[in-house]
Amino acid sequence: MQFKLIVAFVDDAVTDDVMKGARMAGATGATIINNARGEGVKRQRTFFGMQLETQRDVLLFVVEQHLARKILERISNIAGFDEDPGKGIAIQLNVEDAVGVAHQVERLKGKIEEEL
C-alpha cells in the first residue's frame, strides 16, 4: 500500500472543521502542531510594532494514495484557500515508506475498494 503525506497550514479557527472534512474524505487521523506562524507575499500588518496575525495550525495527514487528492481538495474547500490570500496552503508529498500504520491497512482496503 502506498501513502502520501498531506501537510496543511490552516487558520486555527478552521482546524476542527478541516479535520472533520478530511475524515469524511477518508483520512484516518492527523497530527496537529499548534501555534505556527508564516509569512506570505504580503507582510502582515502591525500595530505599534506587534504583528496582527491569526494563529496557524500545521496538520500532518498520512493517507492512502488513492484518497489523497480527494482529501486535499476537501481541506482546500473547507479552509477557503482560494478565496483570499493568506488563508493557508496544503501540499502532498510521496511517502517512501511508513511504519505504525499496519492497524489501519485493513480499514483502508475496504475504503479504497469502495472508492475505486
Side-chain angles (χ1 to χ4, degrees):
M1 190 169 281
Q2 297 293 314
F3 294 95
K4 300 277 187 176
L5 171 67
I6 296 176
V7 181
F9 303 88
V10 303
D11 187 307
D12 68 342
V14 299
T15 296
D16 289 339
D17 292 336
V18 168
M19 286 297 300
K20 287 177 191 170
R23 281 188 180 277
M24 290 175 59
T28 55
T31 296
I32 301 170
I33 303 170
N34 299 108
N35 300 323
R37 193 174 71 104
E39 188 172 302
V41 174
K42 288 182 157 183
R43 295 199 65 181
Q44 296 290 331
R45 295 173 293 197
T46 61
F47 180 74
F48 293 114
M50 295 177 64
Q51 290 186 329
L52 300 174
E53 58 188 25
T54 59
Q55 289 296 320
R56 302 270 185 238
D57 289 337
V58 180
L59 285 63
L60 305 171
F61 299 89
V62 176
V63 301
E64 205 285 325
Q65 69 178 350
H66 293 95
L67 303 174
R69 184 63 193 184
K70 181 179 175 182
I71 295 167
L72 188 69
E73 289 174 1
R74 180 76 58 93
I75 291 168
S76 178
N77 290 337
I78 293 170
F81 293 157
D82 293 328
E83 293 173 13
D84 294 312
K87 289 283 191 173
I89 65 169
I91 60 173
Q92 83 175 2
L93 305 165
N94 291 324
V95 173
E96 186 172 325
D97 202 359
V99 295
V101 294
H103 61 284
Q104 298 178 29
V105 171
E106 288 304 315
R107 179 175 172 213
L108 287 170
K109 284 181 183 177
K111 179 75 173 171
I112 294 165
E113 288 173 5
E114 291 173 14
E115 294 291 323
L116 298 177

